[in-house]
Amino acid sequence: MSTVAERLEAIRRTLPKDVELVAVSKFHPAEVVREAYDAGQRLFGESRVQELVAKQPLLPNDIEWHFIGSLQTNKVKYLAPFIHTIQSIDSLKLLTEVDRAAERVGRQIRVLIEVHIAEEDSKHGFSVDKCRKLFADGALSAYKHVKIAGLMGMATFTDDTEHVRREFDRLRTLFDEVRAMPGAVDSCFTELSMGMSDDYPTAIEAGSTMVRVGTKIFGPRQYS
């Protein structure tokens, strides 16, 4: 059976040089994350606050932790001291709390605005129209302790590749539209995070700059 390092290298070989890999380590213990770290990986994604807060002190300080799951406002304070990027900003209420928590700890936290592009109610995020309005209205300029670095989205879980491609294309079109709005974003707005273990090649074809891959690196989740 291949090791974490071998699976990680196999994924890296499939990625263009300008696409970053977030290794999704949720449900895997710190020692398994360390295997990927020792193989050169520095960006890791987690989706449960309690798990990440327990894991983070056990691992090197130069890891860039990305929070990729649904985030409750009352748990933001636990991530604020160390989180590198929150990819799942799905409401102004959450963005406001991240801004406040970042101010309290004297940091600026990098965030991505999550856009709902899938045909599944279980997915979160702003609708395409609401996201467009969010940037067009200039409302985001009020948040001084967050750095809005791009958009994130998840496609429908389906074997229909063309369906997935249309959803990714829609998000890429929105990303380009927002970047072209005068004064809507600054130079750090460069990330389009889309694509996971089952669909990341399609996401890359659609213009993803960052993919989130877990199972293909770490194997089945270790729920215990």
Side-chain angles (χ1 to χ4, degrees):
M1 186 175 180
S2 59
T3 65
V4 167
E6 289 169 339
R7 293 192 294 267
L8 180 61
E9 180 56 31
I11 294 294
R12 285 174 175 157
R13 287 197 297 267
T14 69
L15 301 181
K17 290 183 179 180
D18 58 348
V19 174
E20 288 192 291
L21 171 63
V22 178
V24 179
S25 50
K26 61 183 180 179
F27 299 113
H28 294 281
E31 56 266 28
V32 176
V33 178
R34 185 65 193 236
E35 290 182 50
Y37 178 90
D38 289 343
Q41 182 65 23
R42 293 296 181 269
L43 275 65
F44 291 89
E46 294 280 338
S47 62
R48 299 195 306 174
V49 172
Q50 185 175 357
E51 181 181 354
L52 175 52
V53 169
K55 198 179 291 183
Q56 184 264 341
L58 305 177
L59 290 157
N61 289 332
D62 63 335
I63 286 178
E64 292 185 6
W65 290 107
H66 288 228
F67 195 83
I68 61 173
S70 179
L71 180 58
Q72 295 174 297
T73 55
N74 64 345
K75 293 186 177 180
V76 171
K77 59 188 176 185
Y78 301 113
L79 300 179
F82 68 87
I83 199 72
H84 181 275
T85 301
I86 297 174
Q87 295 204 15
S88 48
I89 299 296
D90 59 2
S91 69
L92 279 177
K93 180 182 178 182
L94 178 58
L95 184 63
T96 299
E97 184 53 38
V98 172
D99 189 67
R100 289 171 179 166
E103 182 178 14
R104 285 194 293 268
V105 297
R107 299 186 64 218
Q108 189 175 50
I109 296 175
R110 188 171 179 259
V111 302
L112 305 182
I113 301 298
E114 183 174 2
V115 184
H116 187 254
I117 56 172
E119 292 183 354
E120 295 166 334
D121 291 338
S122 59
K123 300 291 197 307
H124 297 268
F126 291 88
S127 69
V128 169
D129 288 340
K130 286 184 178 178
C131 181
R132 183 184 293 116
K133 186 175 186 297
L134 188 68
F135 285 95
D137 287 351
L140 298 177
S141 61
Y143 298 94
K144 305 301 184 184
H145 300 278
V146 295
K147 184 181 293 185
I148 299 173
L151 305 179
M152 184 271 265
M154 290 181 281
T156 301
F157 184 70
T158 174
D159 291 331
D160 186 344
T161 302
E162 288 308 310
H163 182 102
V164 171
R165 189 186 308 276
R166 286 193 297 272
E167 290 177 345
F168 285 148
D169 285 342
R170 190 179 184 206
L171 185 56
R172 173 58 193 265
T173 298
L174 176 65
F175 176 75
D176 290 340
E177 183 180 341
V178 168
R179 281 204 301 178
M181 292 179 182
V185 297
D186 59 27
S187 59
C188 75
F189 191 88
T190 59
E191 300 294 356
L192 181 56
S193 176
M194 55 186 192
M196 299 186 290
S197 285
D198 292 328
D199 59 18
Y200 78 87
T202 302
I204 291 171
E205 291 173 3
S208 176
T209 68
M210 180 179 289
V211 296
R212 311 177 303 275
V213 180
T215 304
K216 288 186 180 296
I217 297 171
F218 296 106
R221 296 172 179 175
Q222 299 179 28
Y223 291 103
S224 60

